[in-house]
Amino acid sequence: NAYRKQIKSRLLPDACYFCRNRLKNKEFHQVTIRQYDDFKIRLLGKKNIQSIQVAFNNTCNLRCVMCNEIYSTQFKKEGTCLNRKVYDKRFIEDLNKYIPKLKEFICLGGEPFLIEEYYEIWNQIIKENPKCEISVITNGTILNDRIKNLIDSGNFKINISFETINKEKYE
């Protein structure tokens, strides 16, 4: 509600810095909030949350050039890593009441397949709301039988983030 009040006053909260920068640069087609354009407005304000985007922590196995200490624990070598753990067990339990009506669950932060809290939520979504789209932004380096089975049993949308496909730039 605090975010909504700020936005109505034309002030974007700090958490909205991606959109703020894109709006400032007139990159309207890339404003993240557009992903919600197709959601049903009649459900807003009725505690029928349709989308949840979470970054549990920043555990990651890579230190990509386009990344930073907010999204990867690999920056701890320079002493800049925030090594944040944002949500606790209670938060996960609180999420359960929203799972039956969710349209999407977006997983960010670090490498989601290395973050154990996500597995508990993914299994709950698969069990209670198999149509819910589970979007995972991954570096694609972690793929084992546990992950393959999970992806096969749920409605996953996998986004692979990588530095470049150009060999010279990568090296």
Side-chain angles (χ1 to χ4, degrees):
N1 286 332
Y3 280 2
R4 287 180 179 153
K5 283 179 186 173
Q6 283 182 285
I7 291 168
K8 282 181 183 177
S9 301
R10 299 189 182 274
L11 299 170
L12 291 179
D14 289 339
C16 300
Y17 66 92
F18 283 121
C19 287
R20 185 179 14 203
N21 290 339
R22 288 181 174 150
L23 289 169
K24 209 184 290 185
N25 294 326
K26 298 186 178 180
E27 298 169 348
F28 305 116
H29 60 286
Q30 291 186 352
V31 176
T32 309
I33 196 72
R34 292 192 66 208
Q35 72 190 28
Y36 303 106
D37 284 353
D38 294 331
F39 282 40
K40 295 177 179 141
I41 277 189
R42 65 182 171 78
L43 295 177
L44 291 177
K46 295 185 179 178
K47 297 186 180 180
N48 288 325
I49 293 174
Q50 298 176 61
S51 176
I52 294 177
Q53 182 172 320
V54 179
F56 271 98
N57 62 56
N58 57 350
T59 300
C60 191
N61 59 328
L62 297 180
R63 187 186 180 283
C64 301
V65 296
M66 75 288 203
C67 199
N68 60 47
E69 66 277 0
I70 294 172
Y71 299 109
S72 174
T73 49
Q74 295 304 309
F75 284 83
K76 66 185 171 196
K77 294 171 183 127
E78 290 91 38
T80 58
C81 177
L82 299 178
N83 201 12
R84 59 191 188 127
K85 186 165 175 107
V86 181
Y87 304 105
D88 60 11
K89 191 78 170 159
R90 183 171 169 237
F91 177 81
I92 296 172
E93 291 167 5
D94 287 345
L95 274 178
N96 286 335
K97 63 184 166 197
Y98 300 108
I99 287 175
K101 298 206 178 192
L102 273 184
K103 286 177 84 174
E104 68 177 350
F105 183 75
I106 304 167
C107 310
L108 308 169
E111 169 49 51
F113 291 122
L114 291 176
I115 300 170
E116 202 56 40
E117 290 91 344
Y118 280 127
Y119 289 90
E120 187 176 337
I121 295 167
W122 293 333
N123 286 321
Q124 194 70 20
I125 290 171
I126 291 166
K127 182 176 145 192
E128 288 188 38
N129 185 357
K131 290 183 180 180
C132 176
E133 183 177 272
I134 302 168
S135 178
V136 178
I137 300 175
T138 175
N139 60 36
T141 61
I142 311 295
L143 186 61
N144 55 39
D145 288 340
R146 180 185 187 195
I147 294 168
K148 288 177 189 175
N149 291 334
L150 190 72
I151 291 170
D152 286 344
S153 63
N155 183 17
F156 279 83
K157 178 175 129 186
I158 305 296
N159 301 284
I160 298 179
S161 179
F162 53 91
E163 295 182 37
T164 181
I165 59 171
N166 180 296
K167 184 174 173 22
E168 291 77 31
K169 281 185 181 179
Y170 177 78
E171 290 177 357

CSV table of all heavy atoms in Angstrom, one decimal, residues 56-92:
chain,number,residue,atom,x,y,z
A,56,PHE,N,15.3,-14.6,-2.8
A,56,PHE,CA,15.5,-15.0,-1.4
A,56,PHE,C,16.8,-14.6,-0.9
A,56,PHE,O,17.0,-14.2,0.3
A,56,PHE,CB,15.3,-16.6,-1.3
A,56,PHE,CG,13.9,-16.9,-1.0
A,56,PHE,CD1,13.1,-17.3,-2.0
A,56,PHE,CD2,13.4,-16.8,0.3
A,56,PHE,CE1,11.7,-17.6,-1.8
A,56,PHE,CE2,12.1,-17.1,0.5
A,56,PHE,CZ,11.2,-17.5,-0.5
A,57,ASN,N,17.8,-14.9,-1.6
A,57,ASN,CA,19.2,-14.4,-1.3
A,57,ASN,C,20.0,-14.4,-2.5
A,57,ASN,O,19.5,-14.6,-3.6
A,57,ASN,CB,19.8,-15.3,-0.2
A,57,ASN,CG,20.0,-16.7,-0.6
A,57,ASN,OD1,20.7,-17.0,-1.6
A,57,ASN,ND2,19.4,-17.6,0.2
A,58,ASN,N,21.3,-14.1,-2.4
A,58,ASN,CA,22.1,-13.9,-3.6
A,58,ASN,C,23.2,-15.0,-3.7
A,58,ASN,O,24.2,-14.8,-4.3
A,58,ASN,CB,22.7,-12.5,-3.6
A,58,ASN,CG,23.6,-12.2,-2.3
A,58,ASN,OD1,23.5,-13.0,-1.4
A,58,ASN,ND2,24.3,-11.1,-2.3
A,59,THR,N,22.9,-16.2,-3.2
A,59,THR,CA,23.8,-17.3,-3.4
A,59,THR,C,24.0,-17.6,-4.9
A,59,THR,O,23.0,-17.8,-5.6
A,59,THR,CB,23.3,-18.6,-2.7
A,59,THR,OG1,23.1,-18.3,-1.3
A,59,THR,CG2,24.2,-19.8,-2.9
A,60,CYS,N,25.3,-17.6,-5.3
A,60,CYS,CA,25.5,-17.8,-6.7
A,60,CYS,C,26.9,-18.4,-6.9
A,60,CYS,O,27.8,-18.3,-6.0
A,60,CYS,CB,25.5,-16.5,-7.5
A,60,CYS,SG,25.5,-16.7,-9.3
A,61,ASN,N,27.1,-19.2,-8.0
A,61,ASN,CA,28.3,-19.8,-8.3
A,61,ASN,C,29.2,-19.1,-9.3
A,61,ASN,O,30.3,-19.5,-9.6
A,61,ASN,CB,28.1,-21.2,-8.8
A,61,ASN,CG,27.2,-21.3,-10.0
A,61,ASN,OD1,26.4,-20.4,-10.2
A,61,ASN,ND2,27.4,-22.3,-10.8
A,62,LEU,N,28.7,-18.0,-9.8
A,62,LEU,CA,29.4,-17.2,-10.8
A,62,LEU,C,29.6,-15.7,-10.4
A,62,LEU,O,28.8,-15.2,-9.6
A,62,LEU,CB,28.7,-17.3,-12.2
A,62,LEU,CG,28.6,-18.6,-12.8
A,62,LEU,CD1,27.9,-18.5,-14.2
A,62,LEU,CD2,29.9,-19.3,-13.0
A,63,ARG,N,30.5,-15.1,-11.1
A,63,ARG,CA,30.7,-13.6,-10.9
A,63,ARG,C,30.7,-13.0,-12.3
A,63,ARG,O,31.8,-12.7,-12.8
A,63,ARG,CB,32.1,-13.4,-10.2
A,63,ARG,CG,32.3,-12.0,-9.8
A,63,ARG,CD,33.7,-11.8,-9.2
A,63,ARG,NE,34.0,-10.5,-8.8
A,63,ARG,CZ,34.3,-9.5,-9.7
A,63,ARG,NH1,34.4,-9.8,-11.0
A,63,ARG,NH2,34.5,-8.3,-9.3
A,64,CYS,N,29.6,-12.8,-12.8
A,64,CYS,CA,29.4,-12.3,-14.2
A,64,CYS,C,29.8,-10.8,-14.3
A,64,CYS,O,29.5,-10.1,-13.3
A,64,CYS,CB,28.0,-12.6,-14.7
A,64,CYS,SG,27.6,-14.3,-14.7
A,65,VAL,N,30.3,-10.4,-15.4
A,65,VAL,CA,30.7,-9.0,-15.5
A,65,VAL,C,29.5,-8.0,-15.4
A,65,VAL,O,29.6,-6.9,-15.0
A,65,VAL,CB,31.4,-8.7,-16.8
A,65,VAL,CG1,32.8,-9.5,-16.9
A,65,VAL,CG2,30.6,-9.1,-18.1
A,66,MET,N,28.3,-8.5,-15.8
A,66,MET,CA,27.1,-7.6,-15.8
A,66,MET,C,26.4,-7.7,-14.4
A,66,MET,O,25.4,-7.0,-14.2
A,66,MET,CB,26.2,-7.9,-16.9
A,66,MET,CG,25.3,-9.2,-16.7
A,66,MET,SD,26.4,-10.6,-16.9
A,66,MET,CE,25.2,-11.9,-17.3
A,67,CYS,N,26.9,-8.4,-13.5
A,67,CYS,CA,26.3,-8.6,-12.2
A,67,CYS,C,27.0,-7.7,-11.1
A,67,CYS,O,27.9,-7.0,-11.4
A,67,CYS,CB,26.4,-10.1,-11.8
A,67,CYS,SG,25.2,-10.5,-10.5
A,68,ASN,N,26.5,-7.8,-9.9
A,68,ASN,CA,27.0,-7.1,-8.8
A,68,ASN,C,26.8,-7.8,-7.5
A,68,ASN,O,26.2,-8.9,-7.4
A,68,ASN,CB,26.4,-5.7,-8.8
A,68,ASN,CG,24.9,-5.7,-8.6
A,68,ASN,OD1,24.4,-6.4,-7.8
A,68,ASN,ND2,24.2,-4.9,-9.4
A,69,GLU,N,27.2,-7.1,-6.4
A,69,GLU,CA,27.2,-7.7,-5.0
A,69,GLU,C,25.7,-7.9,-4.5
A,69,GLU,O,25.5,-8.7,-3.6
A,69,GLU,CB,27.9,-6.8,-4.1
A,69,GLU,CG,27.3,-5.4,-3.8
A,69,GLU,CD,27.7,-4.4,-4.9
A,69,GLU,OE1,28.5,-4.7,-5.8
A,69,GLU,OE2,27.3,-3.3,-4.8
A,70,ILE,N,24.8,-7.3,-5.2
A,70,ILE,CA,23.4,-7.5,-4.8
A,70,ILE,C,22.9,-8.9,-5.2
A,70,ILE,O,22.1,-9.5,-4.5
A,70,ILE,CB,22.5,-6.4,-5.3
A,70,ILE,CG1,22.8,-5.0,-4.7
A,70,ILE,CG2,21.0,-6.7,-5.1
A,70,ILE,CD1,22.2,-3.8,-5.3
A,71,TYR,N,23.4,-9.3,-6.4
A,71,TYR,CA,22.9,-10.6,-7.0
A,71,TYR,C,23.8,-11.8,-6.9
A,71,TYR,O,23.4,-12.8,-7.3
A,71,TYR,CB,22.5,-10.3,-8.4
A,71,TYR,CG,21.4,-9.3,-8.5
A,71,TYR,CD1,21.6,-8.0,-9.0
A,71,TYR,CD2,20.1,-9.5,-8.1
A,71,TYR,CE1,20.6,-7.0,-9.1
A,71,TYR,CE2,19.1,-8.6,-8.2
A,71,TYR,CZ,19.4,-7.3,-8.7
A,71,TYR,OH,18.4,-6.4,-8.7
A,72,SER,N,25.0,-11.6,-6.4
A,72,SER,CA,25.9,-12.7,-6.4
A,72,SER,C,26.9,-12.7,-5.2
A,72,SER,O,27.6,-11.7,-5.0
A,72,SER,CB,26.8,-12.8,-7.7
A,72,SER,OG,27.8,-13.8,-7.6
A,73,THR,N,26.9,-13.8,-4.5
A,73,THR,CA,27.8,-13.9,-3.4
A,73,THR,C,29.3,-14.0,-3.8
A,73,THR,O,30.2,-13.9,-3.0
A,73,THR,CB,27.5,-15.2,-2.5
A,73,THR,OG1,27.4,-16.3,-3.5
A,73,THR,CG2,26.2,-15.1,-1.8
A,74,GLN,N,29.5,-14.2,-5.1
A,74,GLN,CA,30.9,-14.3,-5.6
A,74,GLN,C,31.7,-13.0,-5.5
A,74,GLN,O,32.9,-12.9,-5.7
A,74,GLN,CB,30.9,-14.8,-7.0
A,74,GLN,CG,30.4,-16.2,-7.1
A,74,GLN,CD,31.2,-17.2,-6.3
A,74,GLN,OE1,32.4,-17.3,-6.3
A,74,GLN,NE2,30.5,-18.0,-5.5
A,75,PHE,N,31.0,-11.9,-5.2
A,75,PHE,CA,31.6,-10.6,-5.0
A,75,PHE,C,32.2,-10.4,-3.6
A,75,PHE,O,32.8,-9.4,-3.3
A,75,PHE,CB,30.6,-9.5,-5.3
A,75,PHE,CG,30.4,-9.3,-6.8
A,75,PHE,CD1,29.5,-10.1,-7.5
A,75,PHE,CD2,31.1,-8.3,-7.5
A,75,PHE,CE1,29.3,-9.9,-8.8
A,75,PHE,CE2,30.9,-8.2,-8.9
A,75,PHE,CZ,30.0,-9.0,-9.5
A,76,LYS,N,32.0,-11.4,-2.8
A,76,LYS,CA,32.5,-11.3,-1.4
A,76,LYS,C,34.1,-11.3,-1.3
A,76,LYS,O,34.6,-10.8,-0.4
A,76,LYS,CB,32.0,-12.5,-0.5
A,76,LYS,CG,32.5,-13.9,-0.9
A,76,LYS,CD,31.8,-14.9,-0.1
A,76,LYS,CE,32.1,-16.3,-0.6
A,76,LYS,NZ,31.2,-17.3,-0.1
A,77,LYS,N,34.7,-11.7,-2.4
A,77,LYS,CA,36.2,-11.7,-2.5
A,77,LYS,C,36.7,-10.3,-2.4
A,77,LYS,O,37.8,-10.0,-1.9
A,77,LYS,CB,36.7,-12.4,-3.7
A,77,LYS,CG,36.4,-13.9,-3.7
A,77,LYS,CD,36.6,-14.6,-5.0
A,77,LYS,CE,36.2,-16.0,-4.9
A,77,LYS,NZ,35.3,-16.4,-5.9
A,78,GLU,N,35.9,-9.3,-2.9
A,78,GLU,CA,36.3,-7.9,-2.8
A,78,GLU,C,35.8,-7.3,-1.5
A,78,GLU,O,36.0,-6.1,-1.3
A,78,GLU,CB,35.8,-7.1,-4.0
A,78,GLU,CG,36.5,-7.5,-5.3
A,78,GLU,CD,35.7,-8.6,-6.1
A,78,GLU,OE1,34.5,-8.6,-6.0
A,78,GLU,OE2,36.4,-9.4,-6.6
A,79,GLY,N,35.1,-8.0,-0.8
A,79,GLY,CA,34.5,-7.5,0.4
A,79,GLY,C,33.3,-6.6,0.2
A,79,GLY,O,32.8,-5.9,1.1
A,80,THR,N,32.7,-6.7,-1.0
A,80,THR,CA,31.5,-5.9,-1.3
A,80,THR,C,30.2,-6.6,-1.3
A,80,THR,O,29.2,-6.0,-1.4
A,80,THR,CB,31.7,-5.2,-2.7
A,80,THR,OG1,31.8,-6.3,-3.7
A,80,THR,CG2,32.9,-4.3,-2.8
A,81,CYS,N,30.3,-7.9,-1.2
A,81,CYS,CA,29.1,-8.7,-1.2
A,81,CYS,C,28.2,-8.4,0.0
A,81,CYS,O,28.6,-8.4,1.1
A,81,CYS,CB,29.4,-10.2,-1.2
A,81,CYS,SG,28.0,-11.3,-1.2
A,82,LEU,N,26.9,-8.2,-0.3
A,82,LEU,CA,25.9,-8.0,0.8
A,82,LEU,C,25.5,-9.3,1.5
A,82,LEU,O,25.0,-9.2,2.6
A,82,LEU,CB,24.7,-7.3,0.2
A,82,LEU,CG,25.0,-5.9,-0.5
A,82,LEU,CD1,23.7,-5.4,-1.0
A,82,LEU,CD2,25.6,-5.0,0.5
A,83,ASN,N,25.7,-10.4,0.8
A,83,ASN,CA,25.3,-11.7,1.3
A,83,ASN,C,24.0,-11.7,2.1
A,83,ASN,O,23.9,-12.0,3.3
A,83,ASN,CB,26.4,-12.3,2.2
A,83,ASN,CG,26.3,-13.8,2.4
A,83,ASN,OD1,25.5,-14.4,1.6
A,83,ASN,ND2,27.0,-14.4,3.3
A,84,ARG,N,23.0,-11.2,1.4
A,84,ARG,CA,21.7,-11.0,2.0
A,84,ARG,C,20.8,-12.2,2.1
A,84,ARG,O,20.8,-13.0,1.2
A,84,ARG,CB,21.0,-9.8,1.3
A,84,ARG,CG,20.8,-10.1,-0.1
A,84,ARG,CD,20.3,-8.9,-0.9
A,84,ARG,NE,19.9,-9.3,-2.2
A,84,ARG,CZ,18.8,-9.1,-2.8
A,84,ARG,NH1,17.9,-8.4,-2.2
A,84,ARG,NH2,18.5,-9.6,-4.0
A,85,LYS,N,20.2,-12.4,3.2
A,85,LYS,CA,19.1,-13.4,3.3
A,85,LYS,C,17.9,-12.6,3.8
A,85,LYS,O,17.8,-12.2,4.9
A,85,LYS,CB,19.5,-14.4,4.3
A,85,LYS,CG,18.5,-15.6,4.4
A,85,LYS,CD,19.1,-16.8,5.1
A,85,LYS,CE,18.0,-17.8,5.3
A,85,LYS,NZ,18.2,-18.9,4.4
A,86,VAL,N,17.0,-12.4,2.9
A,86,VAL,CA,15.9,-11.5,3.1
A,86,VAL,C,14.7,-12.1,3.8
A,86,VAL,O,14.1,-11.5,4.7
A,86,VAL,CB,15.4,-10.9,1.7
A,86,VAL,CG1,14.3,-9.9,1.9
A,86,VAL,CG2,16.6,-10.3,1.0
A,87,TYR,N,14.3,-13.3,3.5
A,87,TYR,CA,13.1,-13.9,4.0
A,87,TYR,C,13.4,-15.1,4.9
A,87,TYR,O,14.3,-15.8,4.7
A,87,TYR,CB,12.2,-14.3,2.8
A,87,TYR,CG,11.9,-13.2,1.9
A,87,TYR,CD1,12.5,-13.1,0.6
A,87,TYR,CD2,11.0,-12.2,2.2
A,87,TYR,CE1,12.3,-12.1,-0.2
A,87,TYR,CE2,10.8,-11.1,1.4
A,87,TYR,CZ,11.4,-11.1,0.1
A,87,TYR,OH,11.2,-10.0,-0.7
A,88,ASP,N,12.5,-15.3,5.8
A,88,ASP,CA,12.6,-16.4,6.7
A,88,ASP,C,11.6,-17.5,6.5
A,88,ASP,O,10.8,-17.4,5.6
A,88,ASP,CB,12.6,-16.0,8.2
A,88,ASP,CG,11.3,-15.3,8.5
A,88,ASP,OD1,10.3,-15.3,7.7
A,88,ASP,OD2,11.2,-14.6,9.6
A,89,LYS,N,11.5,-18.5,7.3
A,89,LYS,CA,10.6,-19.6,7.2
A,89,LYS,C,9.1,-19.1,7.3
A,89,LYS,O,8.3,-19.6,6.6
A,89,LYS,CB,10.8,-20.6,8.3
A,89,LYS,CG,10.1,-21.9,8.1
A,89,LYS,CD,10.8,-22.8,7.1
A,89,LYS,CE,10.3,-24.2,7.1
A,89,LYS,NZ,10.5,-24.9,5.9
A,90,ARG,N,8.9,-18.1,8.1
A,90,ARG,CA,7.5,-17.6,8.2
A,90,ARG,C,7.0,-17.0,6.9
A,90,ARG,O,5.9,-17.1,6.5
A,90,ARG,CB,7.5,-16.5,9.3
A,90,ARG,CG,6.1,-16.0,9.6
A,90,ARG,CD,6.0,-15.1,10.8
A,90,ARG,NE,4.8,-14.4,10.8
A,90,ARG,CZ,4.6,-13.1,10.8
A,90,ARG,NH1,5.6,-12.3,10.9
A,90,ARG,NH2,3.4,-12.6,10.8
A,91,PHE,N,7.9,-16.3,6.2
A,91,PHE,CA,7.6,-15.7,4.9
A,91,PHE,C,7.1,-16.8,3.9
A,91,PHE,O,6.1,-16.7,3.2
A,91,PHE,CB,8.7,-15.0,4.3
A,91,PHE,CG,8.4,-14.4,2.9
A,91,PHE,CD1,7.7,-13.2,2.8
A,91,PHE,CD2,8.9,-15.1,1.8
A,91,PHE,CE1,7.4,-12.7,1.5
A,91,PHE,CE2,8.6,-14.5,0.5
A,91,PHE,CZ,7.9,-13.4,0.4
A,92,ILE,N,7.8,-17.9,3.9
A,92,ILE,CA,7.5,-19.1,3.0
A,92,ILE,C,6.1,-19.6,3.4
A,92,ILE,O,5.3,-19.9,2.6
A,92,ILE,CB,8.5,-20.2,3.1
A,92,ILE,CG1,9.9,-19.6,2.5
A,92,ILE,CG2,8.1,-21.4,2.3
A,92,ILE,CD1,11.0,-20.6,2.7
